[in-house]
PDB file of all heavy atoms in Angstrom:
ATOM      1  N   GLY A   1       0.777  -1.232   0.000  1.00 98.00           N
ATOM      2  CA  GLY A   1       0.000   0.000   0.000  1.00 98.00           C
ATOM      3  C   GLY A   1       0.806   1.279   0.000  1.00 98.00           C
ATOM      4  O   GLY A   1       0.226   2.373  -0.068  1.00 98.00           O
ATOM      5  N   GLY A   2       2.110   1.168   0.094  1.00 97.00           N
ATOM      6  CA  GLY A   2       2.930   2.368   0.074  1.00 97.00           C
ATOM      7  C   GLY A   2       2.926   3.016  -1.300  1.00 97.00           C
ATOM      8  O   GLY A   2       2.436   2.443  -2.281  1.00 97.00           O
ATOM      9  N   GLY A   3       3.470   4.228  -1.367  1.00 97.00           N
ATOM     10  CA  GLY A   3       3.546   4.909  -2.646  1.00 97.00           C
ATOM     11  C   GLY A   3       3.911   6.356  -2.471  1.00 97.00           C
ATOM     12  O   GLY A   3       4.278   6.802  -1.385  1.00 97.00           O
ATOM     13  N   LEU A   4       3.781   7.082  -3.598  1.00 97.00           N
ATOM     14  CA  LEU A   4       4.065   8.518  -3.620  1.00 97.00           C
ATOM     15  C   LEU A   4       2.744   9.267  -3.640  1.00 97.00           C
ATOM     16  O   LEU A   4       1.922   9.054  -4.543  1.00 97.00           O
ATOM     17  CB  LEU A   4       4.893   8.856  -4.859  1.00 97.00           C
ATOM     18  CG  LEU A   4       5.119  10.339  -5.162  1.00 97.00           C
ATOM     19  CD1 LEU A   4       5.900  11.008  -4.041  1.00 97.00           C
ATOM     20  CD2 LEU A   4       5.810  10.503  -6.500  1.00 97.00           C
ATOM     21  N   VAL A   5       2.549  10.146  -2.648  1.00 97.00           N
ATOM     22  CA  VAL A   5       1.314  10.916  -2.564  1.00 97.00           C
ATOM     23  C   VAL A   5       1.641  12.367  -2.239  1.00 97.00           C
ATOM     24  O   VAL A   5       2.752  12.677  -1.799  1.00 97.00           O
ATOM     25  CB  VAL A   5       0.358  10.349  -1.495  1.00 97.00           C
ATOM     26  CG1 VAL A   5      -0.102   8.946  -1.846  1.00 97.00           C
ATOM     27  CG2 VAL A   5       1.014  10.378  -0.123  1.00 97.00           C
ATOM     28  N   GLN A   6       0.652  13.225  -2.441  1.00 98.00           N
ATOM     29  CA  GLN A   6       0.838  14.639  -2.111  1.00 98.00           C
ATOM     30  C   GLN A   6       0.453  14.906  -0.664  1.00 98.00           C
ATOM     31  O   GLN A   6      -0.386  14.200  -0.083  1.00 98.00           O
ATOM     32  CB  GLN A   6      -0.017  15.495  -3.026  1.00 98.00           C
ATOM     33  CG  GLN A   6       0.478  15.531  -4.474  1.00 98.00           C
ATOM     34  CD  GLN A   6      -0.274  16.546  -5.304  1.00 98.00           C
ATOM     35  OE1 GLN A   6      -1.462  16.771  -5.101  1.00 98.00           O
ATOM     36  NE2 GLN A   6       0.426  17.158  -6.254  1.00 98.00           N
ATOM     37  N   ALA A   7       1.031  15.926  -0.113  1.00 98.00           N
ATOM     38  CA  ALA A   7       0.691  16.328   1.248  1.00 98.00           C
ATOM     39  C   ALA A   7      -0.793  16.634   1.348  1.00 98.00           C
ATOM     40  O   ALA A   7      -1.391  17.185   0.421  1.00 98.00           O
ATOM     41  CB  ALA A   7       1.511  17.550   1.651  1.00 98.00           C
ATOM     42  N   GLY A   8      -1.384  16.237   2.468  1.00 98.00           N
ATOM     43  CA  GLY A   8      -2.792  16.472   2.700  1.00 98.00           C
ATOM     44  C   GLY A   8      -3.697  15.345   2.273  1.00 98.00           C
ATOM     45  O   GLY A   8      -4.880  15.339   2.616  1.00 98.00           O
ATOM     46  N   THR A   9      -3.153  14.374   1.565  1.00 97.00           N
ATOM     47  CA  THR A   9      -3.961  13.255   1.097  1.00 97.00           C
ATOM     48  C   THR A   9      -3.856  12.076   2.059  1.00 97.00           C
ATOM     49  O   THR A   9      -3.218  12.156   3.115  1.00 97.00           O
ATOM     50  CB  THR A   9      -3.539  12.827  -0.308  1.00 97.00           C
ATOM     51  OG1 THR A   9      -2.170  12.409  -0.292  1.00 97.00           O
ATOM     52  CG2 THR A   9      -3.690  13.962  -1.294  1.00 97.00           C
ATOM     53  N   SER A  10      -4.493  10.972   1.671  1.00 98.00           N
ATOM     54  CA  SER A  10      -4.552   9.791   2.537  1.00 98.00           C
ATOM     55  C   SER A  10      -3.962   8.571   1.832  1.00 98.00           C
ATOM     56  O   SER A  10      -3.867   8.525   0.608  1.00 98.00           O
ATOM     57  CB  SER A  10      -5.996   9.495   2.926  1.00 98.00           C
ATOM     58  OG  SER A  10      -6.565  10.577   3.626  1.00 98.00           O
ATOM     59  N   LEU A  11      -3.606   7.594   2.662  1.00 98.00           N
ATOM     60  CA  LEU A  11      -3.047   6.337   2.156  1.00 98.00           C
ATOM     61  C   LEU A  11      -3.339   5.270   3.194  1.00 98.00           C
ATOM     62  O   LEU A  11      -3.313   5.551   4.401  1.00 98.00           O
ATOM     63  CB  LEU A  11      -1.532   6.486   1.956  1.00 98.00           C
ATOM     64  CG  LEU A  11      -0.803   5.518   1.034  1.00 98.00           C
ATOM     65  CD1 LEU A  11      -1.325   5.633  -0.386  1.00 98.00           C
ATOM     66  CD2 LEU A  11       0.692   5.803   1.078  1.00 98.00           C
ATOM     67  N   ARG A  12      -3.614   4.078   2.744  1.00 98.00           N
ATOM     68  CA  ARG A  12      -3.826   2.971   3.678  1.00 98.00           C
ATOM     69  C   ARG A  12      -2.799   1.882   3.422  1.00 98.00           C
ATOM     70  O   ARG A  12      -2.693   1.353   2.313  1.00 98.00           O
ATOM     71  CB  ARG A  12      -5.236   2.380   3.553  1.00 98.00           C
ATOM     72  CG  ARG A  12      -5.534   1.383   4.667  1.00 98.00           C
ATOM     73  CD  ARG A  12      -6.945   0.862   4.660  1.00 98.00           C
ATOM     74  NE  ARG A  12      -7.110  -0.288   3.782  1.00 98.00           N
ATOM     75  CZ  ARG A  12      -8.022  -1.238   3.982  1.00 98.00           C
ATOM     76  NH1 ARG A  12      -8.830  -1.177   5.012  1.00 98.00           N
ATOM     77  NH2 ARG A  12      -8.127  -2.237   3.118  1.00 98.00           N
ATOM     78  N   LEU A  13      -2.090   1.550   4.478  1.00 98.00           N
ATOM     79  CA  LEU A  13      -1.139   0.445   4.427  1.00 98.00           C
ATOM     80  C   LEU A  13      -1.801  -0.817   4.951  1.00 98.00           C
ATOM     81  O   LEU A  13      -2.610  -0.769   5.880  1.00 98.00           O
ATOM     82  CB  LEU A  13       0.096   0.753   5.267  1.00 98.00           C
ATOM     83  CG  LEU A  13       0.853   2.038   4.925  1.00 98.00           C
ATOM     84  CD1 LEU A  13       2.088   2.160   5.817  1.00 98.00           C
ATOM     85  CD2 LEU A  13       1.216   2.099   3.474  1.00 98.00           C
ATOM     86  N   SER A  14      -1.436  -1.943   4.356  1.00 98.00           N
ATOM     87  CA  SER A  14      -1.937  -3.236   4.789  1.00 98.00           C
ATOM     88  C   SER A  14      -0.766  -4.128   5.164  1.00 98.00           C
ATOM     89  O   SER A  14       0.333  -3.986   4.628  1.00 98.00           O
ATOM     90  CB  SER A  14      -2.744  -3.903   3.682  1.00 98.00           C
ATOM     91  OG  SER A  14      -3.863  -3.128   3.313  1.00 98.00           O
ATOM     92  N   CYS A  15      -1.024  -5.047   6.057  1.00 98.00           N
ATOM     93  CA  CYS A  15      -0.007  -6.002   6.488  1.00 98.00           C
ATOM     94  C   CYS A  15      -0.665  -7.364   6.592  1.00 98.00           C
ATOM     95  O   CYS A  15      -1.611  -7.538   7.378  1.00 98.00           O
ATOM     96  CB  CYS A  15       0.588  -5.582   7.821  1.00 98.00           C
ATOM     97  SG  CYS A  15       1.719  -6.786   8.550  1.00 98.00           S
ATOM     98  N   LYS A  16      -0.171  -8.305   5.830  1.00 97.00           N
ATOM     99  CA  LYS A  16      -0.734  -9.654   5.806  1.00 97.00           C
ATOM    100  C   LYS A  16       0.200 -10.609   6.526  1.00 97.00           C
ATOM    101  O   LYS A  16       1.390 -10.686   6.181  1.00 97.00           O
ATOM    102  CB  LYS A  16      -0.933 -10.107   4.362  1.00 97.00           C
ATOM    103  CG  LYS A  16      -1.375 -11.551   4.197  1.00 97.00           C
ATOM    104  CD  LYS A  16      -2.768 -11.787   4.714  1.00 97.00           C
ATOM    105  CE  LYS A  16      -3.230 -13.207   4.423  1.00 97.00           C
ATOM    106  NZ  LYS A  16      -4.578 -13.482   5.010  1.00 97.00           N
ATOM    107  N   GLY A  17      -0.314 -11.334   7.487  1.00 96.00           N
ATOM    108  CA  GLY A  17       0.462 -12.336   8.178  1.00 96.00           C
ATOM    109  C   GLY A  17       0.257 -13.701   7.560  1.00 96.00           C
ATOM    110  O   GLY A  17      -0.830 -14.017   7.076  1.00 96.00           O
ATOM    111  N   SER A  18       1.301 -14.515   7.581  1.00 94.00           N
ATOM    112  CA  SER A  18       1.195 -15.879   7.084  1.00 94.00           C
ATOM    113  C   SER A  18       2.122 -16.776   7.892  1.00 94.00           C
ATOM    114  O   SER A  18       3.066 -16.310   8.539  1.00 94.00           O
ATOM    115  CB  SER A  18       1.549 -15.947   5.598  1.00 94.00           C
ATOM    116  OG  SER A  18       2.881 -15.524   5.381  1.00 94.00           O
ATOM    117  N   GLY A  19       1.852 -18.051   7.876  1.00 93.00           N
ATOM    118  CA  GLY A  19       2.684 -19.007   8.587  1.00 93.00           C
ATOM    119  C   GLY A  19       2.271 -19.263  10.019  1.00 93.00           C
ATOM    120  O   GLY A  19       2.681 -20.242  10.624  1.00 93.00           O
ATOM    121  N   ARG A  20       1.527 -18.344  10.608  1.00 93.00           N
ATOM    122  CA  ARG A  20       0.952 -18.498  11.940  1.00 93.00           C
ATOM    123  C   ARG A  20      -0.101 -17.428  12.103  1.00 93.00           C
ATOM    124  O   ARG A  20      -0.099 -16.418  11.387  1.00 93.00           O
ATOM    125  CB  ARG A  20       2.017 -18.363  13.039  1.00 93.00           C
ATOM    126  CG  ARG A  20       2.420 -16.922  13.285  1.00 93.00           C
ATOM    127  CD  ARG A  20       3.431 -16.732  14.409  1.00 93.00           C
ATOM    128  NE  ARG A  20       3.067 -17.248  15.701  1.00 93.00           N
ATOM    129  CZ  ARG A  20       2.267 -16.664  16.569  1.00 93.00           C
ATOM    130  NH1 ARG A  20       1.700 -15.515  16.270  1.00 93.00           N
ATOM    131  NH2 ARG A  20       2.022 -17.229  17.739  1.00 93.00           N
ATOM    132  N   THR A  21      -0.949 -17.588  13.071  1.00 92.00           N
ATOM    133  CA  THR A  21      -1.909 -16.552  13.377  1.00 92.00           C
ATOM    134  C   THR A  21      -1.250 -15.488  14.252  1.00 92.00           C
ATOM    135  O   THR A  21      -0.402 -15.800  15.095  1.00 92.00           O
ATOM    136  CB  THR A  21      -3.147 -17.105  14.092  1.00 92.00           C
ATOM    137  OG1 THR A  21      -4.037 -16.025  14.373  1.00 92.00           O
ATOM    138  CG2 THR A  21      -2.762 -17.793  15.395  1.00 92.00           C
ATOM    139  N   PHE A  22      -1.628 -14.242  14.058  1.00 93.00           N
ATOM    140  CA  PHE A  22      -1.157 -13.149  14.903  1.00 93.00           C
ATOM    141  C   PHE A  22      -2.273 -12.583  15.743  1.00 93.00           C
ATOM    142  O   PHE A  22      -2.151 -11.509  16.325  1.00 93.00           O
ATOM    143  CB  PHE A  22      -0.523 -12.058  14.028  1.00 93.00           C
ATOM    144  CG  PHE A  22       0.762 -12.483  13.393  1.00 93.00           C
ATOM    145  CD1 PHE A  22       0.804 -12.930  12.086  1.00 93.00           C
ATOM    146  CD2 PHE A  22       1.944 -12.459  14.117  1.00 93.00           C
ATOM    147  CE1 PHE A  22       1.980 -13.337  11.504  1.00 93.00           C
ATOM    148  CE2 PHE A  22       3.135 -12.859  13.543  1.00 93.00           C
ATOM    149  CZ  PHE A  22       3.154 -13.306  12.230  1.00 93.00           C
ATOM    150  N   SER A  23      -3.383 -13.303  15.819  1.00 93.00           N
ATOM    151  CA  SER A  23      -4.553 -12.799  16.528  1.00 93.00           C
ATOM    152  C   SER A  23      -4.324 -12.703  18.034  1.00 93.00           C
ATOM    153  O   SER A  23      -5.097 -12.047  18.730  1.00 93.00           O
ATOM    154  CB  SER A  23      -5.766 -13.689  16.247  1.00 93.00           C
ATOM    155  OG  SER A  23      -5.525 -15.012  16.697  1.00 93.00           O
ATOM    156  N   ASP A  24      -3.261 -13.329  18.517  1.00 93.00           N
ATOM    157  CA  ASP A  24      -2.970 -13.289  19.948  1.00 93.00           C
ATOM    158  C   ASP A  24      -1.885 -12.265  20.299  1.00 93.00           C
ATOM    159  O   ASP A  24      -1.464 -12.183  21.452  1.00 93.00           O
ATOM    160  CB  ASP A  24      -2.517 -14.663  20.439  1.00 93.00           C
ATOM    161  CG  ASP A  24      -1.275 -15.159  19.719  1.00 93.00           C
ATOM    162  OD1 ASP A  24      -0.967 -14.640  18.633  1.00 93.00           O
ATOM    163  OD2 ASP A  24      -0.616 -16.074  20.254  1.00 93.00           O
ATOM    164  N   ARG A  25      -1.451 -11.486  19.291  1.00 94.00           N
ATOM    165  CA  ARG A  25      -0.345 -10.573  19.497  1.00 94.00           C
ATOM    166  C   ARG A  25      -0.759  -9.115  19.356  1.00 94.00           C
ATOM    167  O   ARG A  25      -1.608  -8.777  18.518  1.00 94.00           O
ATOM    168  CB  ARG A  25       0.763 -10.831  18.470  1.00 94.00           C
ATOM    169  CG  ARG A  25       1.319 -12.236  18.491  1.00 94.00           C
ATOM    170  CD  ARG A  25       2.115 -12.490  19.749  1.00 94.00           C
ATOM    171  NE  ARG A  25       2.795 -13.791  19.694  1.00 94.00           N
ATOM    172  CZ  ARG A  25       4.059 -13.944  19.350  1.00 94.00           C
ATOM    173  NH1 ARG A  25       4.787 -12.887  19.019  1.00 94.00           N
ATOM    174  NH2 ARG A  25       4.599 -15.141  19.327  1.00 94.00           N
ATOM    175  N   THR A  26      -0.125  -8.259  20.170  1.00 95.00           N
ATOM    176  CA  THR A  26      -0.173  -6.838  19.874  1.00 95.00           C
ATOM    177  C   THR A  26       0.592  -6.608  18.570  1.00 95.00           C
ATOM    178  O   THR A  26       1.682  -7.145  18.381  1.00 95.00           O
ATOM    179  CB  THR A  26       0.464  -6.016  21.000  1.00 95.00           C
ATOM    180  OG1 THR A  26      -0.376  -6.077  22.155  1.00 95.00           O
ATOM    181  CG2 THR A  26       0.649  -4.563  20.602  1.00 95.00           C
ATOM    182  N   MET A  27       0.001  -5.840  17.696  1.00 97.00           N
ATOM    183  CA  MET A  27       0.624  -5.531  16.415  1.00 97.00           C
ATOM    184  C   MET A  27       0.984  -4.049  16.372  1.00 97.00           C
ATOM    185  O   MET A  27       0.269  -3.207  16.933  1.00 97.00           O
ATOM    186  CB  MET A  27      -0.316  -5.866  15.265  1.00 97.00           C
ATOM    187  CG  MET A  27      -0.702  -7.327  15.198  1.00 97.00           C
ATOM    188  SD  MET A  27       0.693  -8.423  14.891  1.00 97.00           S
ATOM    189  CE  MET A  27       1.134  -7.945  13.217  1.00 97.00           C
ATOM    190  N   GLY A  28       2.083  -3.754  15.690  1.00 97.00           N
ATOM    191  CA  GLY A  28       2.516  -2.374  15.627  1.00 97.00           C
ATOM    192  C   GLY A  28       2.975  -1.982  14.234  1.00 97.00           C
ATOM    193  O   GLY A  28       3.284  -2.829  13.401  1.00 97.00           O
TER     194      GLY A  28
END
């Protein structure tokens, strides 16, 4: 989801976990 954007706009980053569940962890 990263990229080049202008100031004042919005962007959404996504993070996909694989190999184990992360539902039991604090994520940062």
